Amino acid sequence: MKKYLLCLLGIISVPVFFYAQEKDSISSKNIQEVVLQGKKKPIEQTEKGVILNVAGSDLEEKDNALTILSFAPNVSGTSVLGSSRVQIIVNGKEVKINESQRKTFLESIDAKSIKSIEINDRADASMDSKYDVQIVINMRKVEGIQASLKAGSDYRADKFGKNFDGTFIASTKKLRIYVSGNYWDAFSSAHGNSLMNIQDELLRTGTSTFTLKRQGYNAMLNLDYDFNDRSALSFLYNYTVDKDLNKKRDVLYHFQMATVSDSTASVRNRYENLDDTHTFSLQFTHQPDDTGSTLTLSTDYATEFFRVPFHSITNNANTPEQTTENSRQNSKLYYGIFTSSADYKKVFDENNQLDFGLKYSYSSNLNVLDYYENEIFEEDNSQRFNLFENIFAGYAKYQLKSGKFTYNAGIRNEYTDDKFRNRSGLYGSQKYNSFLPTLQVSMAINKDHSVYFHLEKRMRRPSFFSYDPTVFFQPPNEYSSGNENLRPVISYVAQSGYTYKQKYSLILQYRYSTDNIVSIPKIIENHNIFTQPENAGFLNQLLLNLSIPVKFAGFWTTYNKFNFVYRDFRLPATSDFYKGFYFTGESTQSFKLPGKISLDLSFSYSSPSRYQYSYDYGNLGSSANLYIPLWKEKARITIGIDDIFNTDRSKSYSDISGVYSYDYMKFKSRTVSAGFTWYFKSGKEIDDSVRDTEVQEQLNRTGK
């Protein structure tokens, strides 16, 4: 435990040292006078989504960015209106992390270091096509120093985990520094069963147990330097690591066939998932005039290294024969991306604004899998796949305000050039052009009522490894491969919304998608299953989102959000048609107790749902968090219980092409946690009651 504390203190001490050398440094003084500001509304609607005003509101008393996002009406977990294609922005710069790393990253940002979080749930022309929505985090500014250190522990799956967090914020006349770091580990276990029925000729049932150790850490450095009142340079570095260690999954399968005797197979899998990502971002901004026009030049570089060492032993018990299969796989995935962009915003007057920009992106992707059978290298089952992708993009958008109306129209064009090759000698390429228009009309009827209508076209590229046609084997009887002929998925979105008194909101969204990428199982010889991604089917989805916060009393506020979704999917090739309706609801009860103690009780429910040809059963969630400030809010104790009723599970089935598959996994997920946080600050506080105009200008520029 000492080594983690020392590492955390080391992260904090580096910027402190440089901060102390700065000529313009502000000498550390205790705050002699504090001007109390009125509490802001924690949640407000914007023309692009929702803003969570953290600084100066009750939200700054929460734990971290992930906890705060749970109060947003359009967010569930880390998804926005059901979309997991989320772009993360910190102080105007993108943090390139994948979906599985978001939780580690968001938990590393302490609530008291955040000024605001914007959740933009509709795209404009400036947004890359790889994203549908954005989460924009604006860090707090201080004159002096603000820091925090946290240590905690949690109990889950009959084992104790630990976590450490640290934050440092400082500024001088020209330089602003933000540093954060965290480390955590936890344990998980589960048990379950499965069933596969292949044309009523083979029935495979299985029971399984599963254990693992989860570990993650994150470090972020953000530097902002003002050359003068018009020009600034900003740098961001982020390092995120997410690990699944000591994963053990033991499965006992039983096979029943009408023509042969029953048999069994026991499969013991031992593997790990190791994922680390580096992001570097450099940005220069210049304001050429006094109207708010802005030129922005950006360069980003990011790398991801993902490893999966995998060892599987399968014992087949057939009468009268018994065999053992010993296989080992070493998988490595490397991803590097370089981007460069230029954006210009021209403000003609308060009613007219034109934005345009150019962006170039180059990525190099490598996927390696070395397969060994009984410690003998099997080249036919191994993989080495490279993909090189060039994307050339340009956009223009125009905003016009006229009376109560605001009009936004934009066009974006992306040209994609993919080239790929594999170990077997395949050389392929995919080139396509995507024209992506957007249009939005919004109206402020009066101070209490506002409405908008939004249209957009989006495109989703296939994942790079889905192009690889190499065939892989998953014991005991499943094979899979990629498809070099995949095309991007095209979606058309119509969305409208209504807001009442900046509190209550209604969103209605319709999405139609073509060329959806699906993996339909096919039966091959000896009752084996083969899956391969292909473009097939049409998807219709209608979503209704409601946000209804209610303040019952001065000490009790409830935040409620509901999603009602209808979805259907059609496969013309097989004449299959799947449709379903599902509901999700989340409610958080926030209580202000004596002594500035606060308590949050959260409950969530998701009904059974269908996506394409898969059916997922419902789930129930619950949690409680208690925040106890100490010593005039210089420290805090946090106590939490997650999944109070231990109901977390994964349960689903699919039935297509003569293959019925059912999987169930019950997790031992109830978690009890406790943490202690120490806060330090010296110098002068900055009034956060008004949104920072510089940040707003930057958001207007990027369309975020």
Side-chain angles (χ1 to χ4, degrees), residues 194-232:
S194 63
L195 183 147
M196 178 178 286
N197 189 334
I198 303 175
Q199 293 182 328
D200 293 327
E201 296 179 5
L202 184 146
L203 180 65
R204 189 194 78 186
T205 58
T207 57
S208 61
T209 59
F210 175 79
T211 61
L212 84 156
K213 177 182 179 181
R214 296 271 295 130
Q215 185 184 88
Y217 39 95
N218 193 90
M220 181 166 63
L221 168 66
N222 187 88
L223 302 174
D224 298 312
Y225 183 80
D226 297 328
F227 294 103
N228 48 51
D229 292 339
R230 293 188 180 274
S231 301

Short mmCIF file of all heavy atoms in Angstrom, two decimals, residues 194-232:
data_model
loop_
_atom_site.label_atom_id
_atom_site.label_comp_id
_atom_site.label_asym_id
_atom_site.label_seq_id
_atom_site.Cartn_x
_atom_site.Cartn_y
_atom_site.Cartn_z
N SER A 194 -25.33 -22.34 -19.49
CA SER A 194 -25.58 -22.02 -20.89
C SER A 194 -26.22 -23.21 -21.58
O SER A 194 -26.17 -24.34 -21.09
CB SER A 194 -24.27 -21.64 -21.60
OG SER A 194 -23.38 -22.73 -21.60
N LEU A 195 -26.81 -22.93 -22.75
CA LEU A 195 -27.45 -23.98 -23.53
C LEU A 195 -27.34 -23.61 -25.01
O LEU A 195 -27.54 -22.45 -25.38
CB LEU A 195 -28.90 -24.16 -23.13
CG LEU A 195 -29.71 -25.27 -23.81
CD1 LEU A 195 -30.75 -25.84 -22.85
CD2 LEU A 195 -30.44 -24.72 -25.06
N MET A 196 -27.03 -24.59 -25.86
CA MET A 196 -27.04 -24.41 -27.31
C MET A 196 -27.75 -25.59 -27.95
O MET A 196 -27.41 -26.74 -27.68
CB MET A 196 -25.62 -24.27 -27.86
CG MET A 196 -25.57 -24.11 -29.38
SD MET A 196 -23.89 -23.88 -30.02
CE MET A 196 -23.59 -22.18 -29.51
N ASN A 197 -28.72 -25.30 -28.80
CA ASN A 197 -29.48 -26.33 -29.51
C ASN A 197 -29.30 -26.10 -31.01
O ASN A 197 -29.69 -25.06 -31.53
CB ASN A 197 -30.96 -26.25 -29.12
CG ASN A 197 -31.76 -27.42 -29.67
OD1 ASN A 197 -31.40 -28.02 -30.68
ND2 ASN A 197 -32.87 -27.75 -29.02
N ILE A 198 -28.70 -27.08 -31.69
CA ILE A 198 -28.42 -26.96 -33.10
C ILE A 198 -29.38 -27.86 -33.87
O ILE A 198 -29.23 -29.09 -33.90
CB ILE A 198 -26.96 -27.34 -33.41
CG1 ILE A 198 -26.00 -26.45 -32.59
CG2 ILE A 198 -26.67 -27.23 -34.90
CD1 ILE A 198 -24.55 -26.83 -32.74
N GLN A 199 -30.40 -27.25 -34.46
CA GLN A 199 -31.41 -27.93 -35.29
C GLN A 199 -32.00 -29.17 -34.61
O GLN A 199 -32.33 -30.16 -35.27
CB GLN A 199 -30.79 -28.33 -36.63
CG GLN A 199 -30.43 -27.14 -37.51
CD GLN A 199 -29.88 -27.54 -38.84
OE1 GLN A 199 -29.21 -28.58 -38.98
NE2 GLN A 199 -30.13 -26.75 -39.87
N ASP A 200 -32.12 -29.14 -33.31
CA ASP A 200 -32.66 -30.25 -32.52
C ASP A 200 -31.88 -31.55 -32.72
O ASP A 200 -32.37 -32.64 -32.39
CB ASP A 200 -34.14 -30.50 -32.88
CG ASP A 200 -35.02 -29.35 -32.45
OD1 ASP A 200 -34.70 -28.73 -31.40
OD2 ASP A 200 -36.00 -29.05 -33.14
N GLU A 201 -30.66 -31.44 -33.25
CA GLU A 201 -29.83 -32.62 -33.46
C GLU A 201 -28.71 -32.72 -32.42
O GLU A 201 -28.23 -33.81 -32.11
CB GLU A 201 -29.23 -32.61 -34.87
CG GLU A 201 -30.28 -32.71 -35.97
CD GLU A 201 -29.64 -32.67 -37.35
OE1 GLU A 201 -28.38 -32.65 -37.41
OE2 GLU A 201 -30.38 -32.65 -38.35
N LEU A 202 -28.27 -31.57 -31.93
CA LEU A 202 -27.23 -31.55 -30.89
C LEU A 202 -27.64 -30.58 -29.81
O LEU A 202 -28.01 -29.42 -30.10
CB LEU A 202 -25.87 -31.16 -31.47
CG LEU A 202 -24.68 -31.19 -30.49
CD1 LEU A 202 -23.41 -31.62 -31.20
CD2 LEU A 202 -24.46 -29.80 -29.85
N LEU A 203 -27.61 -31.03 -28.57
CA LEU A 203 -27.92 -30.19 -27.43
C LEU A 203 -26.68 -30.09 -26.55
O LEU A 203 -26.17 -31.10 -26.06
CB LEU A 203 -29.09 -30.78 -26.62
CG LEU A 203 -29.52 -29.98 -25.39
CD1 LEU A 203 -30.08 -28.62 -25.81
CD2 LEU A 203 -30.56 -30.76 -24.58
N ARG A 204 -26.19 -28.87 -26.38
CA ARG A 204 -25.01 -28.65 -25.55
C ARG A 204 -25.41 -27.79 -24.35
O ARG A 204 -25.88 -26.67 -24.50
CB ARG A 204 -23.92 -27.92 -26.33
CG ARG A 204 -22.58 -27.83 -25.60
CD ARG A 204 -21.65 -26.82 -26.25
NE ARG A 204 -22.00 -25.45 -25.90
CZ ARG A 204 -21.42 -24.38 -26.42
NH1 ARG A 204 -20.49 -24.51 -27.36
NH2 ARG A 204 -21.78 -23.16 -26.05
N THR A 205 -25.24 -28.34 -23.16
CA THR A 205 -25.50 -27.59 -21.94
C THR A 205 -24.19 -27.41 -21.18
O THR A 205 -23.27 -28.22 -21.29
CB THR A 205 -26.52 -28.30 -21.03
OG1 THR A 205 -26.02 -29.60 -20.71
CG2 THR A 205 -27.86 -28.43 -21.74
N GLY A 206 -24.10 -26.33 -20.42
CA GLY A 206 -22.86 -26.07 -19.69
C GLY A 206 -23.11 -25.34 -18.39
O GLY A 206 -24.08 -24.59 -18.25
N THR A 207 -22.26 -25.58 -17.41
CA THR A 207 -22.25 -24.84 -16.15
C THR A 207 -20.85 -24.25 -15.99
O THR A 207 -19.85 -24.86 -16.37
CB THR A 207 -22.57 -25.74 -14.95
OG1 THR A 207 -21.62 -26.82 -14.91
CG2 THR A 207 -23.97 -26.30 -15.06
N SER A 208 -20.77 -23.04 -15.43
CA SER A 208 -19.49 -22.34 -15.39
C SER A 208 -19.30 -21.57 -14.09
O SER A 208 -20.27 -21.19 -13.42
CB SER A 208 -19.38 -21.37 -16.57
OG SER A 208 -20.39 -20.38 -16.51
N THR A 209 -18.04 -21.35 -13.76
CA THR A 209 -17.63 -20.46 -12.67
C THR A 209 -16.59 -19.50 -13.22
O THR A 209 -15.84 -19.82 -14.15
CB THR A 209 -17.05 -21.23 -11.48
OG1 THR A 209 -15.90 -21.98 -11.92
CG2 THR A 209 -18.08 -22.16 -10.88
N PHE A 210 -16.53 -18.31 -12.61
CA PHE A 210 -15.68 -17.26 -13.17
C PHE A 210 -15.16 -16.39 -12.03
O PHE A 210 -15.92 -15.97 -11.15
CB PHE A 210 -16.51 -16.42 -14.14
CG PHE A 210 -15.81 -15.22 -14.72
CD1 PHE A 210 -14.91 -15.36 -15.75
CD2 PHE A 210 -16.04 -13.95 -14.20
CE1 PHE A 210 -14.27 -14.26 -16.28
CE2 PHE A 210 -15.41 -12.85 -14.72
CZ PHE A 210 -14.51 -13.00 -15.77
N THR A 211 -13.85 -16.09 -12.03
CA THR A 211 -13.24 -15.18 -11.05
C THR A 211 -12.18 -14.34 -11.76
O THR A 211 -11.59 -14.77 -12.76
CB THR A 211 -12.57 -15.94 -9.89
OG1 THR A 211 -11.53 -16.79 -10.41
CG2 THR A 211 -13.58 -16.78 -9.12
N LEU A 212 -11.94 -13.14 -11.22
CA LEU A 212 -10.87 -12.30 -11.74
C LEU A 212 -10.54 -11.18 -10.76
O LEU A 212 -11.33 -10.89 -9.85
CB LEU A 212 -11.23 -11.68 -13.09
CG LEU A 212 -12.07 -10.38 -13.09
CD1 LEU A 212 -11.85 -9.62 -14.37
CD2 LEU A 212 -13.55 -10.68 -12.90
N LYS A 213 -9.40 -10.56 -10.98
CA LYS A 213 -9.00 -9.36 -10.26
C LYS A 213 -8.98 -8.22 -11.27
O LYS A 213 -8.35 -8.31 -12.32
CB LYS A 213 -7.62 -9.53 -9.63
CG LYS A 213 -7.12 -8.27 -8.93
CD LYS A 213 -5.71 -8.47 -8.36
CE LYS A 213 -5.20 -7.21 -7.69
NZ LYS A 213 -3.82 -7.38 -7.14
N ARG A 214 -9.69 -7.12 -10.94
CA ARG A 214 -9.71 -5.94 -11.80
C ARG A 214 -8.74 -4.91 -11.26
O ARG A 214 -8.65 -4.69 -10.05
CB ARG A 214 -11.12 -5.35 -11.87
CG ARG A 214 -12.13 -6.28 -12.49
CD ARG A 214 -12.21 -6.09 -13.99
NE ARG A 214 -12.71 -4.77 -14.32
CZ ARG A 214 -12.14 -3.94 -15.19
NH1 ARG A 214 -11.01 -4.28 -15.78
NH2 ARG A 214 -12.67 -2.77 -15.46
N GLN A 215 -8.06 -4.22 -12.16
CA GLN A 215 -7.09 -3.21 -11.76
C GLN A 215 -7.06 -2.10 -12.80
O GLN A 215 -7.16 -2.36 -14.00
CB GLN A 215 -5.70 -3.84 -11.62
CG GLN A 215 -4.63 -2.90 -11.08
CD GLN A 215 -3.27 -3.57 -11.07
OE1 GLN A 215 -2.52 -3.53 -12.05
NE2 GLN A 215 -2.95 -4.23 -9.96
N GLY A 216 -6.93 -0.87 -12.34
CA GLY A 216 -6.85 0.25 -13.27
C GLY A 216 -6.14 1.44 -12.65
O GLY A 216 -6.12 1.59 -11.42
N TYR A 217 -5.54 2.25 -13.49
CA TYR A 217 -4.96 3.51 -13.01
C TYR A 217 -4.95 4.51 -14.15
O TYR A 217 -4.98 4.17 -15.34
CB TYR A 217 -3.58 3.34 -12.40
CG TYR A 217 -2.64 2.37 -13.07
CD1 TYR A 217 -1.72 2.79 -14.01
CD2 TYR A 217 -2.68 1.02 -12.73
CE1 TYR A 217 -0.84 1.89 -14.59
CE2 TYR A 217 -1.81 0.12 -13.30
CZ TYR A 217 -0.89 0.56 -14.25
OH TYR A 217 -0.02 -0.33 -14.83
N ASN A 218 -4.92 5.79 -13.76
CA ASN A 218 -5.01 6.88 -14.73
C ASN A 218 -4.16 8.05 -14.25
O ASN A 218 -4.11 8.35 -13.05
CB ASN A 218 -6.46 7.33 -14.90
CG ASN A 218 -6.66 8.23 -16.10
OD1 ASN A 218 -6.95 7.75 -17.19
ND2 ASN A 218 -6.49 9.53 -15.93
N ALA A 219 -3.49 8.71 -15.18
CA ALA A 219 -2.73 9.92 -14.89
C ALA A 219 -3.00 10.93 -15.99
O ALA A 219 -2.96 10.57 -17.18
CB ALA A 219 -1.24 9.62 -14.78
N MET A 220 -3.29 12.17 -15.62
CA MET A 220 -3.56 13.21 -16.60
C MET A 220 -2.85 14.49 -16.23
O MET A 220 -2.81 14.89 -15.06
CB MET A 220 -5.07 13.47 -16.73
CG MET A 220 -5.42 14.54 -17.77
SD MET A 220 -7.17 14.60 -18.22
CE MET A 220 -7.90 15.04 -16.66
N LEU A 221 -2.26 15.15 -17.23
CA LEU A 221 -1.59 16.43 -17.07
C LEU A 221 -2.15 17.39 -18.11
O LEU A 221 -2.16 17.07 -19.31
CB LEU A 221 -0.08 16.29 -17.24
CG LEU A 221 0.73 17.59 -17.38
CD1 LEU A 221 0.67 18.38 -16.07
CD2 LEU A 221 2.16 17.30 -17.78
N ASN A 222 -2.62 18.56 -17.68
CA ASN A 222 -3.11 19.59 -18.59
C ASN A 222 -2.41 20.91 -18.26
O ASN A 222 -2.40 21.35 -17.11
CB ASN A 222 -4.62 19.76 -18.46
CG ASN A 222 -5.18 20.71 -19.50
OD1 ASN A 222 -5.54 20.29 -20.60
ND2 ASN A 222 -5.26 21.99 -19.18
N LEU A 223 -1.81 21.52 -19.28
CA LEU A 223 -1.11 22.79 -19.14
C LEU A 223 -1.71 23.79 -20.11
O LEU A 223 -1.84 23.51 -21.30
CB LEU A 223 0.38 22.64 -19.42
CG LEU A 223 1.17 21.64 -18.57
CD1 LEU A 223 2.59 21.51 -19.09
CD2 LEU A 223 1.18 22.07 -17.11
N ASP A 224 -2.09 24.98 -19.61
CA ASP A 224 -2.60 26.06 -20.45
C ASP A 224 -1.72 27.29 -20.24
O ASP A 224 -1.53 27.73 -19.09
CB ASP A 224 -4.05 26.40 -20.08
CG ASP A 224 -4.99 25.23 -20.32
OD1 ASP A 224 -4.92 24.64 -21.41
OD2 ASP A 224 -5.77 24.91 -19.41
N TYR A 225 -1.19 27.83 -21.33
CA TYR A 225 -0.32 29.00 -21.24
C TYR A 225 -0.85 30.10 -22.14
O TYR A 225 -1.08 29.90 -23.33
CB TYR A 225 1.11 28.63 -21.65
CG TYR A 225 2.09 29.78 -21.50
CD1 TYR A 225 2.62 30.08 -20.24
CD2 TYR A 225 2.46 30.55 -22.59
CE1 TYR A 225 3.51 31.14 -20.09
CE2 TYR A 225 3.35 31.62 -22.44
CZ TYR A 225 3.86 31.90 -21.19
OH TYR A 225 4.73 32.95 -21.03
N ASP A 226 -1.03 31.31 -21.54
CA ASP A 226 -1.52 32.47 -22.28
C ASP A 226 -0.34 33.34 -22.69
O ASP A 226 0.36 33.91 -21.83
CB ASP A 226 -2.49 33.28 -21.42
CG ASP A 226 -3.74 32.50 -21.05
OD1 ASP A 226 -4.17 31.66 -21.86
OD2 ASP A 226 -4.29 32.72 -19.95
N PHE A 227 -0.10 33.45 -24.00
CA PHE A 227 0.94 34.36 -24.47
C PHE A 227 0.54 35.81 -24.23
O PHE A 227 1.34 36.65 -23.82
CB PHE A 227 1.20 34.14 -25.97
CG PHE A 227 1.78 32.80 -26.28
CD1 PHE A 227 0.99 31.79 -26.81
CD2 PHE A 227 3.12 32.52 -26.04
CE1 PHE A 227 1.51 30.55 -27.11
CE2 PHE A 227 3.65 31.28 -26.34
CZ PHE A 227 2.86 30.29 -26.86
N ASN A 228 -0.74 36.10 -24.50
CA ASN A 228 -1.32 37.42 -24.29
C ASN A 228 -2.83 37.24 -24.23
O ASN A 228 -3.32 36.12 -24.09
CB ASN A 228 -0.90 38.40 -25.39
CG ASN A 228 -1.10 37.80 -26.78
OD1 ASN A 228 -2.17 37.29 -27.10
ND2 ASN A 228 -0.04 37.84 -27.60
N ASP A 229 -3.56 38.33 -24.35
CA ASP A 229 -5.02 38.24 -24.27
C ASP A 229 -5.65 37.56 -25.47
O ASP A 229 -6.81 37.16 -25.42
CB ASP A 229 -5.61 39.65 -24.12
CG ASP A 229 -5.27 40.29 -22.78
OD1 ASP A 229 -4.93 39.53 -21.86
OD2 ASP A 229 -5.31 41.53 -22.68
N ARG A 230 -4.90 37.38 -26.56
CA ARG A 230 -5.47 36.84 -27.78
C ARG A 230 -4.97 35.44 -28.14
O ARG A 230 -5.63 34.72 -28.87
CB ARG A 230 -5.20 37.78 -28.96
CG ARG A 230 -5.93 39.12 -28.85
CD ARG A 230 -5.75 39.91 -30.13
NE ARG A 230 -6.42 41.19 -30.07
CZ ARG A 230 -7.70 41.40 -30.38
NH1 ARG A 230 -8.43 40.39 -30.77
NH2 ARG A 230 -8.22 42.61 -30.32
N SER A 231 -3.80 35.05 -27.66
CA SER A 231 -3.19 33.80 -28.09
C SER A 231 -2.87 32.92 -26.89
O SER A 231 -2.43 33.42 -25.84
CB SER A 231 -1.92 34.07 -28.89
OG SER A 231 -2.20 34.85 -30.03
N ALA A 232 -3.07 31.61 -27.05
CA ALA A 232 -2.83 30.66 -25.97
C ALA A 232 -2.37 29.33 -26.54
O ALA A 232 -2.72 28.97 -27.68
CB ALA A 232 -4.08 30.47 -25.11
#
